Amino acid sequence: MSLHDDAVLVLKRYEDQDELRRNYLDHLSAHPGGMWKACEAGHVTASALVVDPERGRVLLTLHKKLNMWLQMGGHCEPGDATLAEAALREATEESGIAGLTLLPSAGAARSASTMGGGRVTGGPVRLDRHPIPAPCNWHLDVQYAALAPGGAVEAISEESLDLRWFAYDEVAGVADESVVRLMERTRAAL
């Protein structure tokens, strides 16, 4: 199965945000290359909010290009077999934390594979479509949540200006509404 096929399957099984989910499916139907950065009409991305529920906190990255506190995430790559693996890869690369585990989420497609010491077992927590600068128009982000293992130590990547843990109640003061909604949905699924 191709990454495109996996994305269609994941989105068909996702049982929330029906209108936005339909927009994603329509985009993928109209654009066979809609998984890749080169698709100027927009492309699917994968992200994951790294959560430490024992300490009531989330790890955010200060994005180098956007200068905003965001969850870990980015573009799908040819080696990604599934959206869940793409989200886990991005979270691991950008957080520096090995052994992340995707949070299982109700009403979403589930897969079961391992990657980079992490376990891919969950489906998306939410979807977020946002405009990006030209030449592309849109990121159609499929957002997951990743649980940090006990004693996790983060390491900043070259894609970040900073990497920091924030208590749940601090997120609204530093991040945009999309990140706040992702955190709220993640907390409800914990």
Side-chain angles (χ1 to χ4, degrees), residues 169-182:
D169 62 358
E170 295 176 323
V171 173
V174 298
D176 72 6
E177 189 65 26
S178 171
V179 178
V180 172
R181 287 190 307 263
L182 175 57

Side-chain angles (χ1 to χ4, degrees), residues 54-74:
E54 289 182 17
R55 294 185 177 161
R57 61 187 189 162
V58 299
L59 184 65
L60 298 179
T61 180
L62 184 57
H63 194 278
K64 190 179 260 185
K65 291 181 182 175
L66 301 175
N67 199 33
M68 295 172 61
W69 288 104
L70 301 170
Q71 75 275 13
M72 315 302 146

Side-chain angles (χ1 to χ4, degrees), residues 3-4 16 19 31 34 55 69 72 74 79 96 98 103 107 118 140 142 146 157 159-160 166 175 180 182 189-190:
L3 182 59
H4 184 280
D16 203 358
E19 183 178 342
H31 303 282
R55 294 185 177 161
W69 288 104
M72 315 302 146
L103 177 70
L140 292 87
V142 180
S157 76
E159 295 182 39
S160 301
F166 291 93
V180 172
L182 175 57
L190 289 172

